[in-house]
Amino acid sequence: MTGTGKMNKKRLNIQTEQFLTPELMADPRVSAFINSVKDTYEAFEQEIELSYRSGLFSEEKLMFALEERGDCVWEFHVESGLMILSKEFMNLLGLSEPELTCPFQVWCEKVHPEDRYIIETNSIKYRQNTIVKHEIEYRVRHKDGHYVWIQDNGKIVNYTTSGKPSRLIGTHRDISEKKRSEEELFKLSLMARANKNAVLFSGHDGMITWVNEMFTQLTGYTPDEAIGKSPLQLLAGPLSDPNAMEMVAKGFYKGEVVETSIIHYRKDGSWYWGHSNSQPYFDKNGKVSLYFSVIDDITKKKEQEDQLNILSRIAEDNINAVVIADASASITWVNKSYIFMTGYSPEETIGHNISHLFKGPDTNRFSIQNFSDQISWGESFQGEVMNYKKDGTVLWQRMQCQPIKNAKGNVSGYFLLLENINNEKKAQQMLLVSELRLNKTLQLLGDNVWEHDFRTGKTKFYDDNTQFQGLPF
């Protein structure tokens, strides 16, 4: 600007000497007028110079503020093609001080090959005077070989006399962490879209920012109806547990993993049991940037649990031993009668397979194998087996095992009823002994003895030597 002012002043002197005659120049009035014009122009020139210097001072202050904030400041001179980089680039890209001034082409070579078209296109737009500022993102190679994602902001600050850009200034900011977060969020969104459960993202303020298609199917709310709303307000209703809702809210604001089962409400007012698992996602400063939540409809599971709870309450006071197992036949619960009957505590029993209950030196292995096979096939089973108590005494048991099936017909658990039949077995044994004694007595008296079994339809005849043969009646 100063140079331009001096050039115009020199031109003014030439024009004065060219168009005024010596006589006019000698006239005091003309001379005074000319000097007045010159003084006015000098004042104007000084004002322009002051404005220019003030502009430089403001620009320096701006650059200082940007550098203090951590931004890397750059300056590009179009005519020379030189990039001038601030000292922050030494940390950002590992550059040495001499490398802070480089041709624009050298800078382009540092840009990732896949991203070079971005800055080349941007450069063309400036040359064509179609833009005055820009904001672009691309990757630049660090001196150690890895790439750094940067956000490049810049604008034109000076033009040539022909109106073309002559100087640009701008900033580069490291956004690698932001890009990593975006990539992870992208992966999460892909997973969420494919998820068979309802999935939603909530921002740091607790408001929904995204939902998948399954969320709409489960709740009836479209993305437009859900986004911007609080999940707790959107899905809560009269039967929702306020204590559970408060726990979710507190966990959210503390940045904790929150897992809970609670009654949710659909858009049409119907309700369902929803099991939600919410995971916080933290930014580089350790603050929660969003929550990733998965909601699973567990209404049927809850109904089955309620049925099992009813069964367990009935079974608790049953005089017979009751054992409940899961779908894999692993024991999950026993009643008090089982403890009294066998002597085994719940801790010694729960977690074992049902077949583990029947063990002992004279326990019929064939019967137990048959029992195990029936369980593996998901079928009911009943029978009698000689078992043993914890103290080693014999325990005859009549067992009835019934599979518990869900609405789809799949086995979800087993209900086993065990009856102590020691007294019944003793009575059978005594009856058998009595019969043998009676037969022996009759034979000693010389009477022929016969016995008919109505179950088999066979009659047994005994001779004097207590031998028998099976003949039809």
Side-chain angles (χ1 to χ4, degrees), residues 121-337:
T121 302
N122 195 60
S123 178
I124 292 171
K125 289 179 179 178
Y126 273 116
R127 290 194 179 94
Q128 294 175 344
N129 262 346
T130 57
I131 59 172
V132 295
K133 62 181 180 179
H134 70 268
E135 180 179 326
I136 53 179
E137 297 177 354
Y138 53 89
R139 290 162 288 180
V140 182
R141 187 177 65 253
H142 191 279
K143 202 164 187 176
D144 65 9
H146 76 276
Y147 282 90
V148 178
W149 271 102
I150 63 168
Q151 178 179 302
D152 182 343
N153 291 359
K155 65 177 295 183
I156 302 171
V157 292
N158 289 111
Y159 290 88
T160 65
T161 54
S162 61
K164 294 183 178 180
S166 65
R167 189 166 72 100
L168 287 78
I169 64 169
T171 62
H172 286 164
R173 179 181 296 180
D174 185 355
I175 58 169
S176 300
E177 189 64 33
K178 173 191 169 187
K179 284 294 181 180
R180 277 193 288 270
S181 298
E182 289 177 353
E183 184 178 356
E184 290 182 23
L185 287 177
F186 177 71
K187 292 177 181 177
L188 281 176
S189 66
L190 289 179
M191 181 181 69
R193 284 188 176 91
N195 203 304
K196 295 182 179 180
N197 296 321
V199 178
L200 62 91
F201 290 167
S202 302
H204 63 86
D205 59 355
M207 300 302 168
I208 297 173
T209 58
W210 184 88
V211 297
N212 70 345
E213 184 180 347
M214 292 304 299
F215 177 89
T216 300
Q217 291 186 23
L218 176 61
T219 67
Y221 291 105
T222 65
D224 290 339
E225 293 171 324
I227 291 172
K229 306 287 195 315
S230 165
L232 293 178
Q233 295 174 349
L234 187 69
L235 304 176
L239 296 178
S240 301
D241 184 355
N243 294 326
M245 292 173 62
E246 183 180 0
M247 181 194 74
V248 172
K250 287 182 178 179
F252 180 89
Y253 289 110
K254 289 181 181 179
E256 299 173 341
V257 175
V258 181
E259 187 172 1
T260 184
S261 296
I262 188 173
I263 290 177
H264 292 164
Y265 280 78
R266 299 183 179 90
K267 182 180 176 179
D268 62 9
S270 62
W271 61 267
Y272 62 95
W273 272 98
H275 178 80
S276 62
N277 189 311
S278 300
Q279 303 279 343
Y281 185 83
F282 299 94
D283 60 21
K284 64 178 181 180
N285 297 318
K287 294 182 179 180
V288 175
S289 60
L290 64 84
Y291 257 88
F292 177 83
S293 303
V294 179
I295 303 176
D296 182 19
D297 183 356
I298 59 168
T299 305
K300 291 182 179 179
K301 181 181 178 182
K302 273 295 197 180
E303 290 173 352
Q304 292 171 3
E305 287 179 355
D306 291 342
Q307 290 173 0
L308 288 176
N309 287 335
I310 294 172
L311 286 174
S312 65
R313 285 195 295 270
I314 296 172
E316 183 62 44
D317 297 322
N318 199 306
I319 59 173
N320 295 320
V322 178
V323 178
I324 295 177
D326 60 20
S328 65
S330 179
I331 298 170
T332 58
W333 183 86
V334 295
N335 70 345
K336 292 181 291 187
S337 294

Side-chain angles (χ1 to χ4, degrees), residues 321-456:
V322 178
V323 178
I324 295 177
D326 60 20
S328 65
S330 179
I331 298 170
T332 58
W333 183 86
V334 295
N335 70 345
K336 292 181 291 187
S337 294
Y338 172 85
I339 300 169
F340 177 78
M341 182 185 294
T342 66
Y344 288 103
S345 67
E347 292 75 18
E348 294 172 307
T349 309
I350 292 173
H352 291 288
N353 191 278
I354 293 179
S355 59
H356 181 77
L357 301 178
F358 310 104
K359 55 185 179 179
D362 293 324
T363 300
N364 190 315
R365 296 295 98 192
F366 176 78
S367 297
I368 301 307
Q369 183 59 51
N370 188 28
F371 173 61
S372 298
D373 291 342
Q374 297 294 107
I375 289 178
S376 65
W377 297 332
E379 297 180 1
S380 59
F381 180 84
Q382 59 184 358
E384 297 178 358
V385 65
M386 186 176 73
N387 202 7
Y388 291 84
K389 296 182 180 181
K390 184 178 179 179
D391 62 10
T393 56
V394 171
L395 173 64
W396 273 95
Q397 293 176 313
R398 180 178 292 117
M399 54 183 176
Q400 299 178 51
C401 184
Q402 186 69 33
I404 303 170
K405 297 185 179 182
N406 57 27
K408 295 181 179 180
N410 299 323
V411 174
S412 60
Y414 292 91
F415 186 87
L416 176 65
L417 188 67
L418 297 172
E419 181 184 358
N420 184 342
I421 57 172
N422 272 350
N423 291 336
E424 185 178 319
K425 285 294 180 180
K426 288 179 181 177
Q428 290 176 355
Q429 184 66 25
M430 291 175 63
L431 178 61
L432 178 61
V433 171
S434 298
E435 289 176 349
L436 290 175
R437 287 177 178 173
L438 175 60
N439 290 340
K440 185 65 176 176
T441 302
L442 292 174
Q443 291 174 22
L444 290 174
L445 293 173
D447 293 337
N448 293 323
V449 182
W450 57 270
E451 176 184 354
H452 179 71
D453 190 336
F454 288 94
R455 292 176 301 175
T456 63

Side-chain angles (χ1 to χ4, degrees), residues 72-117:
C72 300
V73 181
W74 57 265
E75 182 177 345
F76 176 56
H77 294 266
V78 178
E79 186 175 350
S80 66
L82 284 179
M83 289 276 294
I84 301 174
L85 311 175
S86 67
K87 61 183 180 180
E88 279 68 31
F89 280 89
M90 297 171 71
N91 293 326
L92 179 65
L93 300 175
L95 302 179
S96 62
E97 193 165 347
E99 293 174 302
L100 296 179
T101 301
C102 66
F104 180 68
Q105 188 57 37
V106 173
W107 175 259
C108 290
E109 291 172 358
K110 296 179 185 296
V111 177
H112 194 286
E114 295 177 2
D115 298 341
R116 284 176 191 165
Y117 78 95

